[in-house]
Amino acid sequence: MEEELISIKNSAIPLILDAKEEKELEELKLQFLGRNGKLTLALKKITKVPPEKRKEFGMLANEVKEALEEAILNQAKTLKGSVKEKIREKIDVTNPGIKPPLGHLHLVTQAIDEITDIFEKIGFERVRYPEVEWDWYSFEALNFPKNHPARDDWETFFIKEEVHPKYGPMILTPHTSSGQIREMQRRKPPIRMLNIAKTYRRQSDISHVPMFHQFEGLVIDKDIAITHLKGTLDYFVKSFFGENRKSRIRPYHFQFTEPSFEVDVSCGVCNGKGCKVCKSGWLELGGAGMVHPNVLKAGGIDPQEYTGFAFGFGPERCMMMKEGLELDDLRLIYSNKLEFLEQF
Ligand code: PHE
């Protein structure tokens, strides 16, 4: 009979410790300690135990009962605790969080920000003018006579809109030079403008995209000369590309500048000597020149009193030249391909 008590204990304890829910524990309690429970029934057999052994039997029975009660109580506590634990886990603000993937600014935006900082340091003010613009601001006021063939170089998008009697057709800005006239109309000299904006041309192939950016510098004041332009270009080239880089100006033609130049930067690989990358030792940056008197007049500024210089470059091109990036297809820059963009 004592064996029966021991086997009840041995079978009950593992079951109790295995219980996953309070309900299961309640059922086990009934099954062993309830009125018709196994232990209760076993205890009733005490009457059949010889009197001299009853005390021992009673003590053992008590021990088993206490062991079961204690196990049930402990397991109940454990179950409650683990529920609390789970709740605490959910709201534990000290737990390390799940890091969302971190993005960064687009490589062209990074270049624009850097260019802005460089020019702001020497007093240029960043501006932006309409990208849906009149022909007059983009061509006419910039000294392009009507139907002048040079207009074809700026493969322009035309907007289906009524032609304005003074300003002509409505277009998408094919270059940021329209901002020159807008700036002259907005304020009197001295002017130090940096116009960074989107520009649009009817072109799309591996080396052209229909939308790209330009940054246009314009300085107008008394006695502004080519040396000021050259100094500014040198400053920009050294700040953006590196201390050991140089700028060079070559004669060129634009309707809105006189004289006009193309600006080069010395190759970073061969330092101007000529190599496989650059061939001539120089890499082309963009256009520049002294503001044409007719342009000053169109902007309401007296060319007898004021002179100025202007330049217009592409941040995309500058960025690629700086990174030494030779893209097989320029359209990649605006393709939203993460494998490409994440590298910058
Ligand atoms: N607007 C010219 C272009 O798009 C660049 C330029 C700007 C040239 C200012 C001279 C002066 O090519």
Side-chain angles (χ1 to χ4, degrees), residues 142 144 153-154 174-178 180 199 201 212 214-218 252-257 259-262 286-291 309-313:
L142 293 177
F144 289 82
D153 296 341
W154 282 265
H175 58 170
T176 43
S177 299
S178 49
Q180 291 189 24
T199 45
R201 293 186 197 176
F212 54 103
Q214 283 192 337
F215 59 104
E216 183 100 4
L218 174 70
Y252 200 69
H253 172 79
F254 293 106
Q255 283 295 121
F256 38 96
T257 44
S260 301
F261 309 105
E262 267 200 325
M290 303 308 291
V291 183
F309 68 76
F311 57 84
F313 307 146

